[in-house]
Amino acid sequence: MTVVALFGAGGKMGMRLGRNLARSRFETRHVEISPAGQDRIREAFGAACIEPDAAIAGAEVVILAVPDTAVGAVAAGLVPKLAPGTIVVILDAAAPYAGLLPERADITYFVTHPCHPPIFSDETDPAARADHFGGIAAKQHIVNALMQGPEAHYGLGEEVARAIWAPVMRSHRVTVEQMAILEPGLSETVCATLLDAMREAMEEVIARGVPREAARDFLLGHMNILAAVTFGEVQGVFSDACNKAIVFGKETILKPDWKRLFEPDEIADSVRRIT
């Protein structure tokens, strides 16, 4: 069995990954400094946590399931101790893109991140429909990047990624730079911001007298069909009135140069803000 050392194993993300690794062919060594996290691991897996040095001894893969703000510090203390050829798996592009990983040419850095279950899916099981994050019951796509290391390591890195984010549909290979454009650029700076603005708009409508349930039902229902048409999930076009409203809305809501958010310096600034 391939040995995987899971750092941050008792945290929210570490527990998610640990449950999926327990169903895989990988032998998992749990590393967790928090007593509460150690208790969670013992209760969930019947396993005791292992000291970091013991966990990495003979481990082919090391996963850093720690917050973005801690990746650099954890990696700085850990990477110098790793055996040559070890694959270090990072769960987000922020720290790698920001240059926070120690320089060491004889190890592999593999970055992976979930796309999360798509809003248009064929899930019928209630557990899958309720799994909005993914990695429990709902199928999702993932993105991966071989930041450095031999090409032969991509296959094992992707296998680990498919295991920790299971069940997985498509697995996309991208670069670290492209992953940073996707997040925080596309998913957080743009998508999350616009969604929050829609929530604020809903609250404004409610403040102007529309019943809360009516406003929420109306907005979420329209988000469904409007998104389906916009992204080609169904064949259809917007009405002339809707198209005119979109033109007015963009001119009123968005700054003319808003796409500069995807310029390299803007992505770099965004990553620095969250790391």
Side-chain angles (χ1 to χ4, degrees), residues 36-192:
Q38 293 173 358
D39 290 342
R40 284 191 290 270
I41 291 168
R42 190 178 300 108
E43 181 179 346
F45 309 116
C49 290
I50 302 175
E51 290 298 315
D53 289 350
I56 63 176
E60 293 182 50
V61 179
V62 172
I63 302 176
L64 303 185
V66 298
D68 289 339
T69 53
V71 169
V74 172
L78 176 65
V79 169
K81 301 178 181 179
L82 299 178
T86 302
I87 300 175
V88 180
V89 176
I90 302 98
L91 307 180
D92 189 278
Y97 186 79
L100 300 181
L101 301 179
E103 292 188 14
R104 186 172 167 188
D106 62 348
I107 68 166
T108 293
Y109 285 132
F110 186 91
V111 189
T112 182
H113 197 76
C115 295
H116 304 298
I119 59 174
F120 305 118
S121 73
D122 59 357
E123 302 287 7
T124 57
D125 178 64
R129 292 177 63 85
D131 181 16
H132 300 292
F133 185 91
I136 299 176
K139 301 184 293 293
Q140 64 179 335
H141 310 297
I142 60 175
V143 291
N144 311 299
L146 183 65
M147 181 177 181
Q148 72 169 47
E151 180 63 27
H153 278 183
Y154 184 85
L156 179 56
E158 184 182 39
E159 184 184 359
V160 171
R162 283 185 171 274
I164 62 177
W165 304 128
V168 171
M169 294 181 285
R170 288 191 292 271
S171 175
H172 303 282
R173 184 169 183 174
V174 298
T175 66
V176 172
E177 292 76 15
Q178 290 169 341
M179 199 180 294
I181 291 173
L182 292 172
E183 184 165 307
L186 180 63
S187 64
E188 294 175 343
T189 306
V190 176
C191 184

Side-chain angles (χ1 to χ4, degrees), residues 1-5 21 24-29 58-62 87 156-157 159-160:
M1 297 177 68
T2 299
V3 176
V4 174
L21 285 170
S24 74
R25 72 170 184 88
F26 299 108
E27 175 189 336
T28 306
R29 296 175 181 172
E60 293 182 50
V61 179
V62 172
I87 300 175
L156 179 56
E159 184 184 359
V160 171

Side-chain angles (χ1 to χ4, degrees), residues 13-28:
M13 182 61 73
M15 292 298 292
R16 285 177 176 272
L17 273 53
R19 291 189 182 94
N20 281 345
L21 285 170
R23 296 191 289 265
S24 74
R25 72 170 184 88
F26 299 108
E27 175 189 336
T28 306

